[in-house]
């Protein structure tokens, strides 16, 4: 059972941690490259703000974005802003998301996200938590995958493993950190490949943040994952 109220609290804590981490930056720091190809740190901050507003749209029954071009144009428009403007936007948009999450609602209802993806309303706070935590890593502020909350890492690993489950281009794969295990890829009675690594390395590979060099495989090479 998804506890959306718990996840909303986790989103708030993650947002405050991110804002504190970048509060001492200069405007020049905002213009520096992030760890995401083609995006500056300003692009990441702008995306976080616009994503919060987009998820408010989802919770309130409106389209998440008008279209992909508008989404990208808004991020490009907002990326060059001064640090104080970026931080105010991230904080104010986060507050709007929290307010939308606190409104009385049927959390069992189905909502639509981008590209026709549907999910339960109760999972939207977790999706926002994912955005904040992974993009905090992308900002390169000294917050790494190893620093993510253990609960978050386990849940996001399970979420991404489920996302690739049944994908025809991914062989039947068992993932394990030595304690827990997940399955992904094509359905089969027995996995073709077992991938073993630390929780951070497994998540980094599934989330496209690491190339899998820290992982070991048995039964075949490390599978190539499709884009998220």
């Amino acid at each position: 059972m998804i506890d959306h109220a718990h996840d909303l609290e986790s989103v708030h804590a993650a947002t405050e941690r991110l804002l504190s981490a970048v509060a001492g930056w200069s405007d020049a720091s905002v213009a520096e490259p992030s760890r995401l190809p083609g995006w500056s740190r300003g692009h990441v901050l702008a995306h976080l703000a616009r994503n919060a507003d987009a998820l408010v749209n989802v919770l309130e029954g409106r389209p998440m974005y008008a279209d992909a071009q508008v989404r990208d144009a808004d991020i490009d428009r907002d990326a060059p802003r001064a640090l104080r403007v970026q931080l105010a936007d991230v904080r104010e948009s986060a507050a709007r998301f929290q307010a939308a999450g606190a409104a009385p609602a049927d959390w069992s209802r189905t909502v639509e996200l981008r590209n026709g993806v549907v999910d339960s309303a109760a999972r939207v706070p977790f999706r926002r938590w994912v955005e904040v935590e992974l993009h905090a890593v992308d900002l390169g502020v000294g917050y790494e995958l190893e620093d993510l909350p253990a609960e978050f890492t386990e849940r996001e690993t399970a979420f991404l493993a489920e996302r690739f489950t049944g994908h025809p281009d991914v062989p039947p794969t068992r993932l394990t950190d030595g304690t827990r295990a997940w399955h992904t890829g094509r359905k089969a009675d027995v996995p073709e490949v077992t991938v073993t690594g630390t929780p951070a390395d497994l998540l980094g590979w599934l989330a496209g943040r690491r190339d899998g060099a820290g992982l070991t495989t048995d039964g075949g090479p490390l599978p190539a994952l499709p884009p998220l």
Side-chain angles (χ1 to χ4, degrees):
M1 197 73 176
I2 300 171
D3 185 347
H4 69 275
H6 164 77
D7 289 348
L8 283 167
E9 292 175 359
S10 298
V11 171
H12 177 70
T15 302
E16 289 301 310
R17 184 168 56 245
L18 183 151
L19 288 168
S20 295
V22 303
W25 281 1
S26 65
D27 289 343
S29 299
V30 177
E32 291 174 354
S34 75
R35 293 177 176 177
L36 292 177
W39 269 17
S40 68
R41 286 165 157 176
H43 282 89
V44 175
L45 292 172
H47 166 63
L48 282 169
R50 300 290 69 77
N51 173 262
D53 285 336
L55 291 177
V56 170
N57 289 338
V58 169
L59 290 176
E60 295 182 350
R62 296 185 295 274
M64 186 170 179
Y65 295 102
D67 56 51
Q69 289 73 31
V70 170
R71 170 188 177 273
D72 295 344
D74 286 349
I75 293 170
D76 287 339
R77 177 199 66 206
D78 294 343
R81 298 175 302 177
L83 176 66
R84 62 176 181 79
V85 180
Q86 297 275 17
L87 296 185
D89 193 14
V90 172
R91 186 178 297 280
E92 290 164 7
S93 59
R96 290 191 290 271
F97 176 76
Q98 292 290 331
D106 173 13
W107 287 95
S108 67
R109 73 192 187 280
T110 297
V111 296
E112 184 172 345
L113 295 109
R114 292 179 66 198
N115 302 321
V117 172
V118 296
D119 204 346
S120 68
R123 185 122 67 163
V124 171
F126 179 70
R127 286 178 175 272
R128 175 61 182 175
W129 192 11
V130 172
E131 294 286 332
V132 177
E133 292 285 15
L134 291 184
H135 285 316
V137 175
D138 296 333
L139 284 170
V141 294
Y143 185 69
E144 304 296 341
L145 293 170
E146 286 78 6
D147 300 316
L148 295 168
E151 177 202 350
F152 171 84
T153 297
E154 182 174 359
R155 288 176 62 187
E156 178 64 353
T157 298
F159 179 81
L160 291 173
E162 179 184 356
R163 180 167 182 167
F164 296 126
T165 295
H167 197 288
D169 296 331
V170 180
T173 303
R174 179 177 182 266
L175 312 170
T176 181
D177 61 6
T179 301
R180 297 155 297 191
W182 304 265
H183 291 81
T184 194
R186 295 190 300 272
K187 293 287 190 179
D189 293 334
V190 179
E192 293 179 10
V193 183
T194 295
V195 178
T196 304
T198 65
D201 279 331
L202 285 171
L203 175 58
W205 173 61
L206 289 168
R209 264 67 179 184
R210 292 185 180 173
D211 63 7
L215 303 172
T216 60
T217 63
D218 181 46
L222 186 68
L225 298 177
L228 287 172

